[in-house]
Amino acid sequence: MKPVITADKLGHRFDRWLFRRVSFELEAGDTLVITGSNGSGKSTLLKVLAGLLMPREGNVTVSGAVGYSALELAVYPQLSANEHLALAAELRGIRTSPAEELTRVGLENSGDQLAGTFSTGMKARLKLALATQGSPQVLLFDEPTASLDAKGREIFDQTIQDFVGAVVIATNDEMDRRHATHEISLD
């Protein structure tokens, strides 16, 4: 089977090296969990994999579309959940049903509600819907369950179990780590 993600000796630094010589290959069905202490480079590695940052050394190849969700990502407070999904679909050039996407993440009654009125957990569910919209081949998650309640965690777990591509999760949460088929520690 052809790898969906190939990382070859990746390294990144700001004022110091966060990580160096990180290499791995993931095929469809694989889930890589990246662990490490705060400031070890977990989020930065995800940004490199997403193409949001260029690595300072090494290279990465990602085959197919990428879905990305992180705590630091903001939603537009003046847009409804339906408007977020419609805008994202238009920008990606895909057709999806906002109602189906919202139902999948447990926000079926919140489609017309402005995201600025959402709780932190509801925003996390909306970001999950945005990341998985259009069935990307790769999903990248940064601390995906940090603000989710028990039902939200169940939805996340089901999303990972049902996903047919490659998943990368940056976390130190033991519950998230159980999804791993591969694990890298940046400590």
Side-chain angles (χ1 to χ4, degrees):
M1 200 185 275
K2 182 181 173 193
V4 180
I5 303 175
T6 303
D8 184 33
K9 299 177 186 162
L10 289 179
H12 198 78
R13 66 176 292 145
F14 293 109
D15 57 333
R16 64 177 176 82
W17 285 102
L18 295 175
F19 55 85
R20 296 187 86 181
R21 296 177 290 283
V22 173
S23 297
F24 61 87
E25 286 187 350
L26 297 178
E27 297 176 354
D30 288 341
T31 299
L32 170 67
V33 171
I34 304 166
T35 62
S37 58
N38 294 344
S40 64
K42 298 182 302 291
S43 298
T44 301
L45 179 53
L46 276 187
K47 289 176 186 173
V48 168
L49 296 176
L52 300 172
L53 285 175
M54 294 299 296
R56 298 294 175 123
E57 61 184 20
N59 58 61
V60 62
T61 304
V62 178
S63 301
V66 175
Y68 177 71
S69 179
L71 282 174
E72 68 184 33
L73 290 179
V75 294
Y76 296 104
Q78 69 277 23
L79 293 182
S80 71
N82 284 329
E83 290 169 329
H84 273 90
L85 290 162
L87 175 62
E90 185 176 332
L91 292 171
R92 292 176 174 144
I94 59 175
R95 300 188 98 174
T96 64
S97 166
E100 288 178 20
E101 300 286 340
L102 292 174
T103 297
R104 191 174 39 75
V105 298
L107 293 176
E108 58 275 0
N109 297 318
S110 303
D112 293 326
Q113 188 175 339
L114 296 181
T117 67
F118 278 13
S119 68
T120 303
M122 291 172 74
K123 288 176 186 173
R125 289 183 189 209
L126 177 58
K127 289 187 271 186
L128 177 59
L130 289 163
T132 57
Q133 183 184 42
S135 302
Q137 288 75 33
V138 174
L139 289 176
L140 306 174
F141 293 109
D142 193 358
E143 303 291 347
T145 59
S147 59
L148 292 176
D149 59 12
K151 181 62 178 169
R153 282 179 174 266
E154 287 177 23
I155 291 167
F156 176 77
D157 290 346
Q158 192 64 54
T159 299
I160 299 304
Q161 290 170 13
D162 294 344
F163 189 66
V164 296
V167 179
V168 181
I169 304 171
T171 188
N172 287 313
D173 186 305
E174 289 299 322
M175 296 295 285
D176 294 343
R177 289 177 71 182
R178 63 192 162 91
H179 294 291
T181 58
H182 302 75
E183 191 166 319
I184 293 174
S185 174
L186 294 183
D187 284 330

